[in-house]
Amino acid sequence: MNQSHSMNSSERQAVRKANEERTVKFPDGTQVPAIGQGTWRMGERPGEKEKEVKALQLGLELGMTLLDTAEMYGEGGAEEVTGEAIRGIRDQVFLVSKVYPHHAGRKSLRKACENSLQRLGTDYLDLYLLHWRGNIPLQETVDGMEELRKEGKIARWGVSNFDTDEMKELWACDGGSRCATNQVLYHLGSRGIEYDLLPWMRKEGIPLMAYCPIAQGGLLRQELTTHPTVQSIADAHDVSPIQLILAWSIRNGDVIAIPKAVQQNHVLDNAKAASIRLSEKQLAQLDQAFPPPDRKVGLDIV
Ligand SMILES: NC(=O)c1ccc[n+]([C@@H]2O[C@H](COP(=O)([O-])OP(=O)(O)OC[C@H]3O[C@@H](n4cnc5c(N)ncnc54)[C@H](OP(=O)(O)O)[C@@H]3O)[C@@H](O)[C@H]2O)c1
């Protein structure tokens, strides 16, 4: 297993290059790194802020230049951490934030977006997501998002935690198919979306954003990382099981994974996962260990 958590500058450059080359395309042609950085649980403890900012900056330096945050995380605290991490380099970052469902009405959406922009210290988002489906009619949210887009406050918009039927409902809205992505839970131990959501999104030509791509902590992660198939393939690549799981999530070129890491060694490991390519045989072995669904499974959420 790879135990090296420090890197010299030429190694850093190589990792950055691997992240720059491993990209995913949005429908408008914009390319983003397949591995970005999450920020949930950041901005909750003032004493941790400096460490969190440094972690994001290290990830940016290594080419993980897509940052995913939300007004919900730390009630704005994570956006402040993110804003500090990108100060002076805003144009080098693809910035994603999310609106609470109860703020997704026409007027409240504008206010929520402006508040996010202020906390982030920027005047535009690259992508603004409806965090999950709430009670506000989808058409109203689409209209609000389109207004923000036309004004340049957001470059594009999308949704999160939408299952296939909800995506179809969205597509039936006027302007609904301008949605650029759907961010859902996806990792080797949770493959339900492969049955119909992921194929549907592929058909419509929009990339998926995978949250919890390394299965957070807990029992499920332990089950994944201690599985003999995962361990032997990780060993064959001289990487950790977590790095392998992360590389698996971006294997097809149309999924953006957003692992969250505060520990510097975790950031380095995640960035290095961009250069791991799994063979057909290894993918088949992983399919056997953690089979894809053969029927409709409800969306997993956290
Ligand atoms: N749209 C939604 O509803 C939704 C829901 C959940 C998450 N998200 C987004 O997706 C992001 C990722 O999901 P997540 O944060 O829930 O879970 P995750 O990225 O799957 O896991 C994060 C956990 O894994 C640890 N970790 C990171 N890299 C590691 C590595 N290389 N080796 C071992 N452990 C490692 C982190 O530790 P340290 O931090 O201590 O380094 C942290 O405890 C979130 O931060 C958020 O931006 C969105």
Side-chain angles (χ1 to χ4, degrees):
M1 198 190 294
N2 182 5
Q3 295 294 343
S4 160
H5 293 318
S6 58
M7 262 187 241
N8 63 34
S9 80
S10 66
E11 282 172 327
R12 280 181 188 223
Q13 264 178 23
V15 172
R16 187 185 172 92
K17 190 160 178 278
N19 278 285
E20 283 168 354
E21 285 171 5
R22 196 86 189 251
T23 56
V24 173
K25 242 189 212 165
F26 277 99
D28 61 12
T30 302
Q31 298 206 12
V32 297
I35 303 179
Q37 303 183 78
T39 63
W40 191 24
R41 307 278 188 223
M42 290 189 186
E44 294 179 355
R45 290 163 300 272
E48 297 290 302
K49 188 171 183 182
E50 202 183 323
K51 198 173 169 190
E52 293 163 354
V53 169
K54 283 198 170 132
L56 293 177
Q57 287 174 333
L58 174 62
L60 293 173
E61 196 194 321
L62 295 172
M64 299 189 292
T65 54
L66 179 149
L67 300 185
D68 178 80
T69 190
E71 62 170 334
M72 185 188 100
Y73 302 161
E75 291 302 329
E79 289 182 324
E80 284 169 6
V81 168
T82 305
E84 203 161 316
I86 64 170
R87 197 174 300 157
I89 50 165
R90 165 67 187 99
D91 58 344
Q92 295 165 41
V93 175
F94 189 96
L95 197 51
V96 186
S97 194
K98 312 184 199 77
V99 61
Y100 270 126
H102 59 270
H103 285 165
R106 206 155 182 163
K107 279 196 184 139
S108 52
L109 182 66
R110 170 177 304 281
K111 187 74 201 141
C113 181
E114 284 167 357
N115 288 342
S116 287
L117 292 174
Q118 194 174 23
R119 286 187 291 264
L120 286 159
T122 182
D123 55 4
Y124 74 99
L125 293 171
D126 294 283
L127 177 62
Y128 198 30
L129 305 177
L130 172 60
H131 209 149
W132 64 90
R133 179 87 188 263
N135 296 326
I136 289 167
L138 274 182
Q139 186 65 62
E140 188 178 335
T141 302
V142 171
D143 291 345
M145 289 287 193
E146 279 297 298
E147 269 180 28
L148 293 175
R149 189 181 64 79
K150 285 174 189 151
E151 289 166 22
K153 287 193 160 68
I154 62 174
R156 54 191 75 68
W157 59 270
V159 294
S160 177
N161 296 299
F162 270 43
D163 209 338
T164 319
D165 52 347
E166 292 165 318
M167 290 306 285
K168 287 179 181 165
E169 232 181 287
L170 177 61
W171 251 238
C173 293
D174 188 21
S177 62
R178 292 199 71 97
C179 167
T181 188
N182 181 17
Q183 182 180 116
V184 296
L185 188 152
Y186 183 51
H187 57 70
L188 181 62
S190 175
R191 303 183 60 171
I193 61 160
E194 289 178 40
Y195 186 73
D196 61 353
L197 180 59
L198 191 52
W200 187 88
M201 289 177 61
R202 280 189 179 134
K203 178 172 69 74
E204 296 299 333
I206 60 169
L208 183 118
M209 290 183 79
Y211 75 70
C212 303
I214 48 175
Q216 289 204 76
L219 283 178
L220 184 53
R221 173 182 285 184
Q222 212 178 342
E223 194 189 317
L224 289 171
T225 54
T226 56
H227 194 285
T229 305
V230 172
Q231 286 191 335
S232 79
I233 299 174
D235 283 348
H237 285 272
D238 193 24
V239 298
S240 74
I242 293 279
Q243 287 176 297
L244 175 76
I245 289 166
L246 184 54
W248 178 89
S249 71
I250 57 163
R251 68 199 181 284
N252 286 325
D254 54 5
V255 170
I256 302 154
I258 45 168
K260 170 260 179 186
V262 175
Q263 313 305 318
Q264 298 254 322
N265 59 326
H266 289 165
V267 178
L268 292 173
D269 278 359
N270 295 346
K272 286 198 242 170
S275 54
I276 305 170
R277 306 264 176 188
L278 301 172
S279 69
E280 288 302 319
K281 187 173 166 206
Q282 290 168 335
L283 290 173
Q285 288 168 334
L286 290 168
D287 280 347
Q288 211 171 8
F290 298 96
D294 56 8
R295 66 196 150 78
K296 174 72 188 164
V297 185
L299 208 55
D300 267 348
I301 51 168
V302 284

